[in-house]
Amino acid sequence: MEKEKRGEEMPVPGSTDSVRVAVRVRPFSQREKNSGSRCVVSMHSQSTTIRDPKNGEHLKTFTFDLAYWSHDGYQKDKDGILIPSNPTSKFAGQIHVFHDIGRGILDSAWRGYNATLLAYGQTGSGKSYSMVGFGTNKGIIPRVCEELFQAIKMQRENIELQVMFSMLEIYNEQIRDLLSRTKTPGGLKVREDPQLGFFVEGLKWVPCENYAQIEKLMEQGSKIRMTASTNMNASSSRSHMVITIQFKQIFLDTALTKQSSINMVDLAGSERQKSSGAEGDRLREGSRVNLSLTSLGNVISALADSAMGKKVLHIPYRDSVLTKLLQSALGGNSRTTLIAAISPADICYEETLSTLRYAERAKKVQNKAVVNTCMLGRASRAENKFLLGFGGTGAAEHSAGFLAEWQLGIRGTWAHLLEQARKEWEEQYVALTKEQQMMKALPHLLNVNEDPQLTGVLKFFIHKGSCDVGRAASNAIRLQGLGISDKHASFVNLDGKVTVAPHGKCKVVVNGVPVTNRTKLQHLDRIILGSNSAFLYIGFPSERGGEDWSRFDYDFFQLERAAAEGVSVDMLGTGSPGDGQAEPSVLAVFQDYIKLMPLVVEANQMSEELEKGLKMELKVKNLASSDSRGYDLQKEVMVKVTKPRTHEVWIWSKAKFINRKFLMEELYQRFLEREASQVAQEDDPFWDPVEVVHLGSAHIWLQSLAYCMMLEEQVEVLNCDGLQESVLHIRITPCSPEGWAHSEEDMVIDPLELLGKRIDFQIHIVGCLGVKWLKEDANRGIQMGYKIYDLPNTLYTKPVWTKSVNPRIEETVHIVALSASREFLDYLLTNALIVDLWGLQEGCAELGVSQLDILLPGEGHVMVDTKKLSSVKNVNQIMSNQVPEIYQTLLKLEQETELLRDVNRALREENVSLKASLEKTGSAQQAQRPDDSKRAGVRAQLPAAREATQMCAQQASCDAQLARALKVFYQGMSVARGQLLRLRQCRPPEDDEMLRPFVHQQSLMLKDLEDLLESSLQKLKNDVAVIVKKKKEYLLHTQQ
């Protein structure tokens, strides 16, 4: 051991070891708490289990080297540090994580191994908290640096220890030096040396003597990172941050050096890396934003396959900047640890599962780490050779880079660099002292960022008098950012009050509400300038108290903005039955909506500045839509894109919009850098070929068809917001195989009478009334489409291009079920035909159906009910317990109708016996001879036969009466279902003044519905009672 400390060793052969993997689950975020999220992650020892929120029995378990439960069971100590709340708590705090991971990194560094720490996970999963920390809860990086210098102080005198620090960011395949205020166009370049591997040319390396200096460097890097992200309109969650410490031990008595490179990488949010992220987008491979993460995943997969014995021809290190710099960390000369940060919330299930699978692949990667030792003289010769390669220009800068990356054993150079660094420290200390004094005396603005590490790094002071904000250099506060004008707004500090006013039509939002006039600010007001430059206003010292400023985070700003725009969980859907909480699917949509709100604002601003003429707005797909049984459909966020000048419309999915947003940022960045921002139309993220647009759906309940009754209705076509888009006129007619419509006499009392029989009916779409799509532009058209039961294809009407808002369609399709199954009859009883309305635009491809495989030979009719189902479900099974309360009322009505139907069935059985009796009588008459002696007997029997005939006629009359009664009843039920749908789609207004009229209107609608249900059922009961009374009378007469 002593020999190792003195450095008296030569390079040792590398040992093969796997990447060490740790997983850490964080507490619920405030947004998740507000949404009532449920925990789907559990941990036991080294195992991590995740439960599918849609199927509680579906569990997946993963085993890693380390598993940290940081979700609950904690409390704050007097210094604000999170610690276990009790001795039995399994909570893992920052110190616990550092003890396992950070100390391992330091041990490797002292022994001369390279060490790498990667933090992977979706945005907001806690990566940065584990790596950097927040407040007094320091993360792994600051603790590693702090303990490194504590250990350096304890070393003996015959060892010289050198520490160099660098900090860079990779965004969109460009490298930015976070310790240099000089911006390099296009970013720094990655070079490759045959012996030294990949390195960043021109990267600034700063020598450090203590932890305080590194702390200041990290603050400086965060400030530059924040400023750069604002200028480039790039969220930090989409960039990788790489901190590298070069730690060198020079053993003066042996002329031996031992060096370690410590790389600590906070990776970009992993949700960008989804292979299906831009599914369906023609520009799927266009963006470079997620290239590094995609390449990293490919490298890890290739290395994992190689470790499993599979033949791998190529490891794609060269595919991205990140993988070039991490070549030694993955499969090379490094001891590597990956910490996978995950969310426990059910709404993040897919992302969490993806992260765990990624980590499982990473743990299979094999590295070959060696102790990096070198004789001092050899290092000096290598340095000279390196410097000669660059010539005289920039030698000092490259020398510093060489010193950090490789062994430079010249003590004079090290001393010179330290002296330069000390001068910079002194200048920064003076500036920092001045800033702290101003913070105590003046009102100011603190930036608020999506990344908590970057919140509060920018401070803008509001001095007495007027203080202008904008892009121009003449402003007191110069602010770069999307949507910021040259002269954007002015703050006035006068008489102990601060006010803000926008210039012209510039965007200024205070506490979620846009302002147009001068507005007085209160301490801790939230201000958004331009598209998304968020600030917390800190008032005069006299206004400040002991408030907790940390609650005003980025999520708070966006939720406040959403609330001001009327967006809430209640808007998206009702809660789960019984518990009063919103369903996980609704919560997930709400989360997506809040996340995309600022992105849509930014995209609109870029469209405006680049003169693209597009307007984007968030919509919720299926917000007011239901399936064929009336249950709410799965909701999802989408973006409606319009071009007001041409009236063109597109609908983008969430994934497609995010992909396009990345590409928009690239194009916008070229525009800012005065590069050519004109691209070919097919490469323009703001352009898409025109397409067919889904306008809305109409529900036509098929219950009448189960009784062979014709149905003709005018039904509302509702769009995604639940508003009327048009009115559909449709007729569904039971008919013969030849197409002749059935009459009332063909109606059946019990649908089971049709079981196993052929059923024919025609669906005739007459037309649409008041189509808003056609009102907006005369050069538009429409198509209708629908599917019924098990039909595999959608049936579309012919395109109608017309200037009329009431287009006639007049198309009929003949449907046939050759042998009606119980399932098909149940479908008719409980389902609706959903007819979709599609909008056509000039130049778009019209909707067409592929050749139908199920056409009845010889007749050309469309066949349905062609599958034989193994299980039979009755109506009660189909109507599940999850039906809303008012649907339960309808169900009870139908059950009562079923009882009446049973009574009628019993009466009909009696009628059959009467018919048999009549036939018997007729047979007896034919058997008798027509002689005079028997004519008297025949005449005696004639009254009885006549009476039996009258009874049969009376029975037929009763059946017809019952048919008419049921027809009226089911028509009433169809109207009731329509009213129910309208009631469910109503959303309360955000304006309190409008709430009372809304409640009154709802009460009237409920009263009308109640009256309709009662009157329909009462009329049916009365009609059936009359029929039953008549039958009983005839039965009594027969018995006499």
Side-chain angles (χ1 to χ4, degrees):
M1 177 65 73
E2 181 62 27
K3 188 174 183 180
E4 182 180 331
K5 285 184 179 179
R6 291 175 56 197
E8 296 173 1
E9 59 178 285
M10 295 304 291
V12 297
S15 59
T16 301
D17 57 349
S18 300
V19 170
R20 197 175 182 217
V21 176
V23 62
R24 188 180 191 189
V25 57
R26 62 161 172 77
F28 283 136
S29 67
Q30 190 59 49
R31 190 189 295 175
E32 289 165 348
K33 289 179 183 176
N34 295 342
S35 301
S37 297
R38 299 175 178 88
C39 180
V40 294
V41 175
S42 60
M43 286 182 172
H44 179 71
S45 185
Q46 294 176 306
S47 297
T48 300
T49 300
I50 182 168
R51 172 175 49 85
D52 188 342
K54 297 179 182 177
N55 182 3
E57 297 180 357
H58 189 198
L59 305 174
K60 288 187 177 293
T61 300
F62 301 83
T63 302
F64 300 107
D65 300 287
L66 299 164
Y68 298 113
W69 180 261
S70 301
H71 175 60
D72 57 13
Y74 60 88
Q75 63 184 18
K76 287 184 180 180
D77 67 7
K78 58 183 177 59
D79 298 319
I81 297 175
L82 300 183
I83 59 174
S85 57
N86 57 67
T88 61
S89 172
K90 58 181 182 179
F91 173 76
Q94 296 285 65
I95 296 176
H96 187 175
V97 175
F98 168 74
H99 183 271
D100 291 339
I101 298 176
R103 290 228 165 95
I105 292 172
L106 285 173
D107 179 65
S108 297
W110 281 103
R111 294 172 63 185
Y113 290 103
N114 294 333
T116 302
L117 174 62
L118 304 171
Y120 181 89
Q122 72 178 106
T123 299
S125 61
K127 300 187 308 296
S128 297
Y129 180 78
S130 293
M131 294 291 279
V132 181
F134 188 77
T136 55
N137 292 280
K138 294 180 180 178
I140 296 173
I141 294 176
R143 289 181 186 274
V144 163
C145 298
E146 190 172 17
E147 289 218 1
L148 176 62
F149 282 104
Q150 288 176 0
I152 287 175
K153 290 179 182 178
M154 313 223 8
Q155 295 302 312
R156 61 183 188 277
E157 295 181 356
N158 63 340
I159 300 179
E160 181 173 320
L161 302 172
Q162 301 176 358
V163 177
M164 300 285 285
F165 182 90
S166 74
M167 188 175 180
L168 62 85
E169 178 182 50
I170 302 172
Y171 173 75
N172 199 22
E173 287 301 282
Q174 293 187 8
I175 298 176
R176 181 175 183 89
D177 189 344
L178 295 179
L179 300 183
S180 173
R181 298 185 183 278
T182 303
K183 182 182 177 184
T184 304
L188 301 179
K189 304 301 179 185
V190 176
R191 304 295 185 191
E192 184 179 15
D193 181 82
Q195 295 178 334
L196 306 172
F198 292 106
F199 65 94
V200 180
E201 183 182 23
L203 182 66
K204 183 176 181 179
W205 292 86
V206 180
C208 299
E209 296 178 284
N210 53 59
Y211 169 65
Q213 293 174 347
I214 285 186
E215 199 172 30
K216 298 304 177 191
L217 286 173
M218 290 178 65
E219 289 178 7
Q220 176 187 334
S222 295
K223 189 171 184 178
I224 293 175
R225 190 183 187 197
M226 178 62 214
T227 305
S229 68
T230 302
N231 293 347
M232 293 191 301
N233 185 43
S235 169
S236 64
S237 66
R238 300 196 292 275
S239 67
H240 315 284
M241 184 184 72
V242 182
I243 289 178
T244 303
I245 296 172
Q246 292 292 346
F247 176 51
K248 184 174 180 181
Q249 306 169 66
I250 302 175
F251 299 91
L252 301 177
D253 53 351
T254 62
L256 190 72
T257 65
K258 186 189 291 185
Q259 178 160 319
S260 172
S261 177
I262 305 172
N263 293 294
M264 292 171 282
V265 186
D266 189 357
L267 294 168
S270 61
E271 64 272 12
R272 321 297 184 209
Q273 199 254 339
K274 270 188 182 176
S275 60
S276 61
E279 188 174 353
D281 192 357
R282 61 185 179 83
L283 298 180
R284 181 173 183 176
E285 301 298 333
S287 176
R288 296 187 297 164
V289 172
N290 61 352
L291 177 61
S292 287
L293 266 186
T294 302
S295 300
L296 182 62
N298 294 338
V299 167
I300 288 177
S301 294
L303 291 170
D305 289 345
S306 177
M308 297 296 289
K310 296 181 182 179
K311 187 176 181 180
V312 177
L313 300 177
H314 171 64
I315 308 296
Y317 290 113
R318 296 178 180 273
D319 287 359
S320 74
V321 167
L322 178 68
T323 48
K324 287 178 182 178
L325 298 181
L326 293 180
Q327 182 171 4
S328 63
L330 295 169
N333 177 22
S334 177
R335 288 183 168 179
T336 300
T337 300
L338 182 140
I339 181 167
I342 60 174
S343 162
D346 48 6
I347 57 178
C348 299
Y349 169 77
E350 295 293 341
E351 293 292 350
T352 297
L353 181 59
S354 175
T355 299
L356 292 171
R357 285 173 173 163
Y358 192 96
E360 190 173 42
R361 289 198 305 273
K363 73 178 184 179
K364 298 174 184 176
V365 175
Q366 301 286 322
N367 284 356
K368 294 182 180 180
V370 300
V371 175
N372 302 299
T373 60
C374 185
M375 299 302 295
L376 196 58
R378 200 189 327 157
S380 300
R381 289 194 297 273
E383 183 212 17
N384 293 335
K385 177 182 176 182
F386 184 80
L387 292 177
L388 286 172
F390 284 104
T393 306
E397 185 176 37
H398 293 299
S399 176
F402 182 80
L403 172 64
E405 290 285 354
W406 308 281
Q407 293 86 326
L408 179 63
I410 303 175
R411 298 183 65 187
T413 306
W414 172 251
H416 175 68
L417 290 173
L418 276 178
E419 185 62 30
Q420 285 184 327
R422 288 190 186 109
K423 292 180 180 178
E424 292 183 10
W425 295 127
E426 291 175 2
E427 294 174 1
Q428 291 180 14
Y429 179 77
V430 171
L432 182 61
T433 303
K434 182 179 179 182
E435 183 182 83
Q436 290 175 343
Q437 292 173 348
M438 293 171 68
M439 287 177 64
K440 294 177 181 179
L442 292 174
H444 54 277
L445 303 175
L446 287 180
N447 79 292
V448 177
N449 190 267
E450 182 182 11
D451 185 347
Q453 310 301 327
L454 300 184
T455 292
V457 300
L458 299 181
K459 305 171 185 69
F460 298 112
F461 297 97
I462 304 173
H463 296 271
K464 286 187 177 181
S466 181
C467 181
D468 290 332
V469 179
R471 286 179 178 270
S474 58
N475 292 301
I477 298 176
R478 189 179 184 190
L479 185 64
Q480 304 287 327
L482 196 58
I484 301 295
S485 304
D486 288 340
K487 193 172 183 181
H488 193 88
S490 65
F491 290 84
V492 175
N493 180 352
L494 190 64
D495 298 330
K497 294 185 294 185
V498 174
T499 58
V500 63
H503 284 285
K505 296 183 179 180
C506 295
K507 298 175 185 175
V508 176
V509 176
V510 177
N511 300 335
V513 181
V515 298
T516 55
N517 301 315
R518 185 160 295 281
T519 304
K520 181 184 176 183
L521 297 178
Q522 304 289 339
H523 177 54
L524 299 182
D525 274 350
R526 284 76 59 200
I527 302 170
I528 298 177
L529 303 176
S531 297
N532 208 26
S533 296
F535 298 93
L536 184 64
Y537 169 70
I538 307 301
F540 291 93
S542 58
E543 298 179 77
R544 305 173 198 174
E547 305 95 346
D548 180 14
W549 299 356
S550 63
R551 70 187 183 95
F552 298 109
D553 57 6
Y554 186 81
D555 283 352
F556 188 97
F557 275 65
Q558 299 309 325
L559 286 169
E560 184 175 56
R561 199 175 191 178
E565 295 179 12
V567 179
S568 64
V569 174
D570 294 336
M571 180 201 79
L572 300 178
T574 56
S576 301
D579 60 6
Q581 291 185 335
E583 297 175 358
S585 60
V586 174
L587 296 177
V589 172
F590 181 64
Q591 299 282 356
D592 287 341
Y593 198 101
I594 297 299
K595 258 190 222 178
L596 292 184
M597 276 183 61
L599 302 187
V600 170
V601 172
E602 292 169 1
N604 279 324
Q605 186 62 40
M606 286 188 280
S607 171
E608 182 180 330
E609 293 189 28
L610 294 172
E611 298 180 349
K612 296 296 183 178
L614 293 187
K615 180 185 177 184
M616 286 156 259
E617 58 180 322
L618 280 174
K619 294 287 183 180
V620 179
K621 185 179 180 181
N622 299 328
L623 176 63
S625 302
S626 55
D627 64 11
S628 64
R629 291 164 61 191
Y631 300 141
D632 287 343
L633 289 171
Q634 184 75 30
K635 298 174 177 61
E636 59 183 88
V637 177
M638 60 185 184
V639 178
K640 182 180 179 181
V641 184
T642 57
K643 196 168 188 177
R645 185 175 58 83
T646 61
H647 295 155
E648 291 172 330
V649 180
W650 299 265
I651 301 296
W652 288 352
S653 66
K654 168 193 165 186
K656 181 173 181 177
F657 169 72
I658 289 175
N659 187 60
R660 289 298 179 94
K661 175 71 164 42
F662 294 154
L663 294 165
M664 292 174 189
E665 289 173 3
E666 293 177 14
L667 190 64
Y668 184 70
Q669 188 58 33
R670 295 210 296 269
F671 167 75
L672 291 180
E673 293 175 352
R674 303 292 191 268
E675 296 180 12
S677 58
Q678 298 299 321
V679 293
Q681 187 182 66
E682 58 271 16
D683 297 325
D684 189 348
F686 291 92
W687 179 83
D688 251 353
V690 289
E691 58 189 22
V692 178
V693 178
H694 184 258
L695 302 178
S697 303
H699 285 60
I700 300 92
W701 295 97
L702 299 172
Q703 193 174 39
S704 298
L705 197 58
Y707 298 90
C708 291
M709 292 192 302
M710 188 192 78
L711 171 69
E712 183 169 3
E713 288 190 1
Q714 291 188 350
V715 191
E716 287 182 316
V717 178
L718 303 178
N719 62 20
C720 66
D721 295 323
L723 304 176
Q724 181 179 302
E725 180 67 29
S726 71
V727 174
L728 169 67
H729 185 185
I730 187 170
R731 186 184 304 121
I732 302 178
T733 308
C735 62
S736 66
E738 295 78 21
W740 299 103
H742 286 330
S743 64
E744 282 188 0
E745 286 72 20
D746 296 309
M747 176 185 164
V748 297
I749 305 302
D750 187 350
L752 289 178
E753 294 178 34
L754 301 174
L755 185 63
K757 297 180 180 179
R758 171 167 174 159
I759 299 178
D760 289 81
F761 58 93
Q762 293 181 340
I763 299 176
H764 179 65
I765 296 181
V766 181
C768 282
L769 304 173
V771 183
K772 293 181 181 178
W773 173 259
L774 299 177
K775 285 181 184 177
E776 296 168 359
D777 193 317
N779 297 317
R780 286 177 172 176
I782 63 164
Q783 276 186 274
M784 311 292 290
Y786 58 89
K787 288 173 68 174
I788 185 166
Y789 194 48
D790 58 356
L791 192 67
N793 306 92
T794 300
L795 302 175
Y796 292 105
T797 63
K798 293 178 182 177
V800 176
W801 299 85
T802 177
K803 295 183 179 180
S804 169
V805 297
N806 303 315
R808 302 287 292 181
I809 297 176
E810 301 292 356
E811 286 202 20
T812 302
V813 175
H814 190 124
I815 311 290
V816 58
L818 292 177
S819 177
S821 66
R822 178 65 180 266
E823 290 76 14
F824 180 59
L825 295 176
D826 288 343
Y827 167 82
L828 295 178
L829 283 169
T830 60
N831 285 255
L833 176 70
I834 299 179
V835 180
D836 293 309
L837 175 63
W838 296 89
L840 304 178
Q841 306 179 75
E842 193 172 10
C844 75
E846 297 171 346
L847 295 171
V849 63
S850 58
Q851 184 66 35
L852 286 172
D853 299 325
I854 309 179
L855 291 177
L856 187 61
E859 298 183 18
H861 303 332
V862 177
M863 283 199 302
V864 295
D865 195 17
T866 57
K867 297 178 182 178
K868 292 185 178 180
L869 302 180
S870 58
S871 60
V872 178
K873 299 180 180 179
N874 58 31
V875 177
N876 290 333
Q877 289 173 319
I878 290 176
M879 303 294 280
S880 73
N881 295 330
Q882 301 299 319
V883 180
E885 181 181 352
I886 201 152
Y887 271 91
Q888 295 286 2
T889 305
L890 275 179
L891 181 59
K892 290 179 181 178
L893 291 173
E894 291 178 356
Q895 289 173 342
E896 290 188 27
T897 307
E898 183 65 31
L899 291 175
L900 294 173
R901 209 178 283 130
D902 291 340
V903 172
N904 183 63
R905 193 179 293 118
L907 293 175
R908 293 187 67 180
E909 289 174 357
E910 294 176 4
N911 182 48
V912 170
S913 65
L914 287 173
K915 285 183 179 179
S917 174
L918 177 64
E919 291 173 357
K920 202 171 185 183
T921 303
S923 300
Q925 289 175 351
Q926 291 178 2
Q928 292 180 357
R929 293 179 182 178
D931 53 21
D932 295 339
S933 62
K934 295 182 179 177
R935 284 193 186 110
V938 171
R939 283 195 295 269
Q941 291 179 358
L942 280 177
R946 197 176 297 113
E947 184 178 347
T949 304
Q950 290 174 354
M951 290 180 66
C952 291
Q954 184 63 39
Q955 177 63 33
S957 173
C958 289
D959 287 349
Q961 288 179 22
L962 183 60
R964 283 190 290 272
L966 288 175
K967 180 177 180 181
V968 172
F969 176 73
Y970 288 127
Q971 287 174 343
M973 290 301 98
S974 293
V975 175
R977 285 181 186 272
Q979 291 186 6
L980 279 172
L981 281 176
R982 282 193 290 274
L983 278 168
R984 294 178 66 195
Q985 288 152 3
C986 291
R987 297 286 181 259
E990 295 296 328
D991 188 354
D992 291 342
E993 295 182 359
M994 298 300 295
L995 192 58
R996 187 179 295 276
F998 172 79
V999 172
H1000 179 67
Q1001 183 184 12
Q1002 293 289 98
S1003 300
L1004 292 177
M1005 291 177 69
L1006 285 170
K1007 184 67 171 61
D1008 291 343
L1009 179 61
E1010 181 183 3
D1011 293 343
L1012 176 62
L1013 292 174
E1014 287 185 1
S1015 62
S1016 297
L1017 184 60
Q1018 190 60 44
K1019 188 174 189 316
L1020 180 64
K1021 286 181 177 179
N1022 294 338
D1023 291 342
V1024 171
V1026 171
I1027 296 170
V1028 170
K1029 182 179 178 182
K1030 288 182 179 180
K1031 288 203 172 193
K1032 284 184 177 179
E1033 290 175 355
Y1034 280 104
L1035 285 172
L1036 289 173
H1037 183 72
T1038 304
Q1039 291 173 356
Q1040 292 172 358

